[in-house]
Amino acid sequence: MLAYAEAGEGPAVVLLHGFPLDRSIWEPQLSYLAGSYRVIAPDLPGLGKSEPFVEGERPSIPAMARLVLDLLDHLGVEQAAVAGHSMGGYVTLALYKAAPDRVAGLGLVSTQAGADTSEARQTRFVTAEKVKEEGPGALVAGMGTRLFAPGVDPEGEVYRRVTRVIGNTSVAGIRGALFAMADREDLRSLLVQVKVPTLVLTGEEDQLIPAERSQVMAAAIPAAVLVKVPGAGHLPMLERPAEVNRAFEHWLDLVY
Ligand code: MLT
């Protein structure tokens, strides 16, 4: 069973974090939305406090989605609004594909629907080797400042908090997530079939998944609202929490 945080009562909202992070990135939204909703934020496999995929099990995005559904079964949640950040967005789309009836609304934050190019896959395998040799610090060096809008202060509280999370992540968890992302399916054809209220949110200055990809995704989804957060990079929920809370509130008003 995935480890998770839970707060509040009411209609369910699930928040799925990205790579190589954990549920703590959603703390500002968890505490804000808990005033009106039952908010559930799991740690994806091998990240935060969740166990990695077991030896011999192939890490995959659909397997992560299955574990989130198992958690919802365990918690007695029939339907939820599901929002995912980046890799968590890949899981959100896979979950919608596997079990659309369990999803009341979709939130796609700083993410994309396409698969990796062969070059991007190759880079993931190189990174997985590097992390095996050097530990999670290699990721901090590789992507630390690029997670944020240009000009982030590496001495600032948010930067330090995020790099601390990455530095504490297990090598097995990082490698499993990299292999799962490298293997993921192109789900762009799913977008036109989305029938639930959808929020597509991006930082205007995202250096990892450019904001244009959110624009394209939102245009393909029939009932999508696109929100671009000025001054935010790949982590708008931490860089601009008040704007993201407001956008989630409007989205959830449409869902419930
Ligand atoms: C993430 O933030 O989850 C990752 O950067 C996504 C990715 O590497 O594709």
Side-chain angles (χ1 to χ4, degrees):
M1 186 65 54
L2 296 176
Y4 64 97
E6 185 180 7
E9 285 175 18
V13 180
V14 174
L15 303 175
L16 302 176
H17 64 81
F19 169 86
L21 304 166
D22 66 11
R23 66 191 189 224
S24 68
I25 63 158
W26 291 118
E27 268 163 18
Q29 288 67 44
L30 185 98
S31 49
Y32 183 76
L33 297 172
S36 312
Y37 299 98
R38 179 181 185 190
V39 191
I40 299 156
D43 283 331
L44 292 170
L47 302 166
K49 294 196 163 44
S50 286
E51 294 297 320
F53 285 105
V54 290
E55 197 73 29
E57 192 181 5
R58 191 186 172 95
S60 77
I61 297 293
M64 292 189 194
R66 187 67 255 163
L67 288 166
V68 175
L69 286 166
D70 290 348
L71 176 64
L72 295 184
D73 290 343
H74 170 75
L75 295 172
V77 174
E78 186 47 44
Q79 237 199 6
V82 183
H85 168 249
S86 203
M87 179 181 77
Y90 309 157
V91 179
T92 300
L93 285 172
L95 191 154
Y96 187 75
K97 183 183 175 196
D101 296 348
R102 307 289 299 272
V103 179
L106 274 186
L108 300 170
V109 178
S110 316
T111 191
Q112 56 194 341
D116 275 0
T117 60
S118 54
E119 194 189 348
R121 293 187 81 221
Q122 222 33 57
T123 305
R124 301 232 196 246
F125 299 136
V126 171
T127 306
E129 275 316 291
K130 210 167 155 95
V131 168
K132 193 162 143 189
E133 281 158 24
E134 298 173 22
L139 279 184
V140 177
M143 70 193 294
T145 53
R146 294 199 314 127
L147 282 164
F148 301 89
V152 63
D153 175 9
E155 297 301 321
E157 197 263 324
V158 174
Y159 181 87
R160 285 158 63 137
R161 185 169 143 194
V162 167
T163 49
R164 205 177 312 123
V165 170
I166 300 174
N168 287 332
T169 302
S170 76
V171 169
I174 291 171
R175 286 168 57 83
L178 283 167
F179 297 142
M181 288 192 288
D183 247 11
R184 75 185 190 281
E185 195 185 349
D186 181 349
L187 289 180
R188 283 174 298 178
S189 61
L190 181 71
L191 300 178
V192 67
Q193 300 167 41
V194 172
K195 293 192 175 59
V196 292
T198 300
L199 168 68
V200 178
L201 186 143
T202 179
E204 268 185 358
E205 299 180 48
D206 193 327
Q207 303 188 73
L208 293 182
I209 300 182
E212 295 72 49
R213 298 210 191 146
S214 289
Q215 211 157 317
V216 171
M217 217 166 30
I221 299 173
V225 172
L226 174 67
V227 174
K228 289 190 190 176
V229 183
H234 192 58
L235 294 172
M237 71 294 284
L238 292 173
E239 297 174 274
R240 292 285 184 274
E243 283 90 332
V244 173
N245 288 348
R246 241 190 336 268
F248 271 47
E249 199 169 31
H250 290 154
W251 165 56
L252 291 168
D253 279 347
L254 296 174
V255 174
Y256 291 119

